[in-house]
Amino acid sequence: MFLSLYKNLQRTYYKDPLKYLELAFLSLMLLSLPSLEAPKNIFLILFLVTSLYRQYTKKTQDPWRLWDWIFLSYIASAFLSAIFAGIPNGAEWGGFRSFLIWIGFSWLLSRTRYENKEITWIMWVTILGTLPPLAWG
């Protein structure tokens, strides 16, 4: 079943290799998420860059929805909290940077509009990625 789902996804993305690459980076990030820190960050940044580029070069731009404004207000509130935190030596910006990366990831993930078979693929990758660390633990 897993192999047939993979072949079906590969056939589907033959015409849009950038979306296939985006899904591959997301899958690799999810596989390395529970156990490996460096590959998780590398694949996360590659997913973010690929997704931003793909959404920027799309022929039809999606209009902003309510969720986009919620994500933007969430980032703006964290930015204002970092500005007025009053912590010396700029230590508050490290937390804001992590916050920005993960909220940006969530925002881009919400704007990709994956289909049901892509969401199924992501769920299977997530489940399979947690099994080895679970067995190890």
Side-chain angles (χ1 to χ4, degrees):
M1 178 183 159
F2 189 71
L3 188 60
S4 66
L5 183 60
Y6 173 75
K7 293 231 183 250
N8 189 14
L9 286 173
Q10 199 172 24
R11 262 184 269 121
T12 304
Y13 297 114
Y14 181 71
K15 16 180 203 228
D16 190 8
L18 203 54
K19 189 169 183 183
Y20 181 71
L21 187 62
E22 176 184 317
L23 191 62
F25 287 143
L26 178 62
S27 299
L28 290 170
M29 192 273 297
L30 288 172
L31 280 173
S32 60
L33 179 64
S35 54
L36 304 168
E37 188 66 26
K40 174 199 67 142
N41 291 332
I42 291 168
F43 293 130
L44 174 66
I45 296 301
L46 288 172
F47 168 76
L48 291 174
V49 169
T50 307
S51 182
L52 277 173
Y53 179 74
R54 191 179 71 81
Q55 289 185 21
Y56 181 73
T57 58
K58 255 197 307 195
K59 295 188 183 2
T60 59
Q61 295 294 328
D62 291 334
W64 275 41
R65 302 179 314 262
L66 175 65
W67 280 106
D68 295 317
W69 291 107
I70 291 172
F71 280 120
L72 184 63
S73 65
Y74 202 43
I75 290 172
S77 68
F79 180 71
L80 290 173
S81 296
I83 287 176
F84 298 113
I87 300 173
N89 301 327
E92 68 275 9
W93 293 106
F96 174 72
R97 186 176 46 243
S98 311
F99 186 83
L100 182 64
I101 288 173
W102 287 106
I103 295 301
F105 169 73
S106 305
W107 193 357
L108 283 172
L109 201 59
S110 76
R111 290 191 60 85
T112 54
R113 308 252 179 129
Y114 287 132
E115 298 171 8
N116 286 338
K117 62 183 174 183
E118 296 162 337
I119 293 171
T120 304
W121 169 262
I122 291 169
M123 293 305 290
W124 274 109
V125 166
T126 305
I127 291 168
L128 291 174
T130 56
L131 290 179
L134 184 64
W136 177 263

